[in-house]
Each structure stands twice: as C-alpha cells, then as structure tokens.
Amino acid sequence: MKPRKDEVLEKAKKNAALEAVKHVKDGYVVGLGSGSTAAYAIMEIGKRIKHEGLRVLGVPTSHQAFLLAVKNGIPVTTLEEHPALDLTIDGADQVDEKLNLIKGMGGALTREKIVAHSSKKLVIVIDESKRVKTLGENNHPVPLEVLPFAVPLVMRKIKKMGGKSVFRESAGKVGPVVTDNGNFVLDAYFGLIQNPEKLECELKVIPGVVENGLFVGMANIVYVGKSTGVETLKNKRSRQTC
Ligand code: 5RP
C-alpha cells in the first residue's frame, strides 16, 4: 500500500532531525528548537541519552520544547547557567538559497533567535516544502513578536514600509495568540524579500517590535528531509548585525 501524504511528510521531517542529532556529542549544551520537525530532534536526543548514556543539557526555546525535553529525559538548563551553547537544532518556515530563514509560525521566534545567537552552530531541519528561491514566496509573512501596547504603531509602520500586517488570532481560544513571553504576534506581508538583511534591520528599529522572524546569515547547516533520505545544505555563517 502507498504511504499516505502526511506519513511521507512526517518521515521526511524525522529523517532531517535524525541527521541533525548526529552533531550532538557527549558533554554538549544544546538549544532545543520548537515546532513539529525540531520535536523529532528532541525525541532522538532523549533516545540517545537513554540508550547511549549521552550526557547533554538542553536549553528549550519554548514551553513546547521544555515539556518535550522533560518528557524525553533531557535535563534542561538556562542561558544564565550556560550562556554559550555548543549547538542548536531548530526548524524553519522558509529557507532561501543563501540559507536565510523565516521562522516564527509557531510563535517562538524571540527565544529561538536568542538561543541561536548563543550557539556556536545552528542546524536547521526542514522538509522540502520549506525551500524557496526568495524569502516571502507564496505570500509567506514575516512573523513579528510585538508588545501589546505597541500593536497599532507597529501596524502603521509596516504599512508605511509598503507591507501589510495581520494580527494573529489564536486557534485554541478567542482573541490573540499570546507568546511564551506574554506578547502578541503580527504576521507582516512584504511580498518577495529581495534584501532580507535590510528588512531585518528596518524591523528591528520599530519601537515595540520585540523580535522578527528573519534569521539572516545564522544557519550553518540545513538538513532537508525527504521520505527517502536527507539533502545537506551548508553555509558560512555571517551573523546579521544592524
Ligand atoms: C516556531 C518555528 C518553527 O521552527 C517553524 O514554525 C517550523 O515548524 P514546523 O517544523 O512545525 O514546520 O519557527 O516559532
């Protein structure tokens, strides 16, 4: 019998995650990403702790990642205790040809960016559907974490920049999505993003924008999972500074 489409997708995500977890070595402090693909990596790290006696500590990027880490027997730590991480494994929503990313459809972008910047290496795990030539393709938004007080100002600024922002509503309750940090999320649409470096810096200076979902020059390796294997994309990390 032919596998179902969702089974093929889950297999692809898992394949990418398993490849990424091969980077984890004994004694590492690892950033634990959020979302359904990163979840496979967390589960695999848990398995290696159980079966190989691997000693690692995890810094979760969200409440979801925290709970999953605890469930899978990964001891968690904080950036206060371990400010410099060996590695972070995380998912992404779009990845362009230079390995720039859009993240944050799960609303965890701020902690994800802080943890990624604290890590020597950022390994991204995706399925093929996330690969694009140019960020913003298929009308994909850039998620923004925004202080509730600043929402009207940020919406006006995005409009002035030629974009359009949509307030993210919760699927699980009435009203807004509230992030793990108590903020709201705006999804900002800019069409094709030809210069993500510039856009990231323009978003950074809007008062009340806590963080934006553009991760420019951050990823070292992207594993693109397929149902039959994994493709590896590598990059020299340049790290964006505005
Ligand atoms: C959450 C994220 C996720 O990593 C991103 O949304 C990808 O998630 P998934 O692997 O479930 O597609 O950035 O803020």
Side-chain angles (χ1 to χ4, degrees), residues 13 33-38 90-93 102-109 112 125 127 130:
K13 291 180 185 185
S34 303
S36 58
T37 319
D90 205 346
D93 302 299
I102 292 180
K103 286 183 52 55
M105 292 315 283
L109 60 146
E112 288 173 332
V125 287
D127 62 82
K130 310 287 185 65

Side-chain angles (χ1 to χ4, degrees), residues 19-38:
E19 201 59 38
V21 172
K22 290 182 186 165
H23 287 267
V24 180
K25 298 201 175 89
D26 200 45
Y28 266 23
V29 184
V30 183
L32 305 173
S34 303
S36 58
T37 319

Side-chain angles (χ1 to χ4, degrees), residues 3-22:
R4 289 200 329 254
K5 222 174 159 188
D6 56 338
E7 288 171 346
V8 172
L9 179 64
E10 292 309 310
K11 182 98 180 70
K13 291 180 185 185
K14 191 171 176 183
N15 282 342
L18 297 194
E19 201 59 38
V21 172
K22 290 182 186 165

Side-chain angles (χ1 to χ4, degrees), residues 27-31 57-59 77-88 114-121 237 239:
Y28 266 23
V29 184
V30 183
L57 295 173
V59 177
T77 184
T78 61
L79 290 180
E80 277 81 8
E81 291 160 297
H82 294 92
L85 313 189
D86 296 289
L87 170 74
T88 287
I114 293 167
V115 170
H117 270 274
S118 305
S119 301
K120 289 181 199 140
K121 208 172 196 180
R237 186 164 152 168
R239 287 191 187 213

Side-chain angles (χ1 to χ4, degrees), residues 127-144:
D127 62 82
E128 273 190 293
S129 68
K130 310 287 185 65
R131 274 179 90 174
V132 292
K133 192 170 183 305
T134 309
L135 295 180
E137 266 175 32
N138 310 318
N139 199 27
H140 200 290
V142 177
L144 308 176

Side-chain angles (χ1 to χ4, degrees), residues 25-94:
K25 298 201 175 89
D26 200 45
Y28 266 23
V29 184
V30 183
L32 305 173
S34 303
S36 58
T37 319
Y40 283 114
I42 296 176
M43 289 187 264
E44 180 63 13
I45 294 171
K47 275 189 198 155
R48 288 190 56 196
I49 290 174
K50 195 169 168 199
H51 299 302
E52 297 170 28
L54 187 77
R55 288 162 306 164
V56 290
L57 295 173
V59 177
T61 55
S62 63
H63 198 65
Q64 177 223 19
F66 168 73
L67 292 180
L68 209 52
V70 171
K71 193 174 163 199
N72 285 276
I74 305 174
V76 292
T77 184
T78 61
L79 290 180
E80 277 81 8
E81 291 160 297
H82 294 92
L85 313 189
D86 296 289
L87 170 74
T88 287
I89 303 174
D90 205 346
D93 302 299
Q94 281 197 335

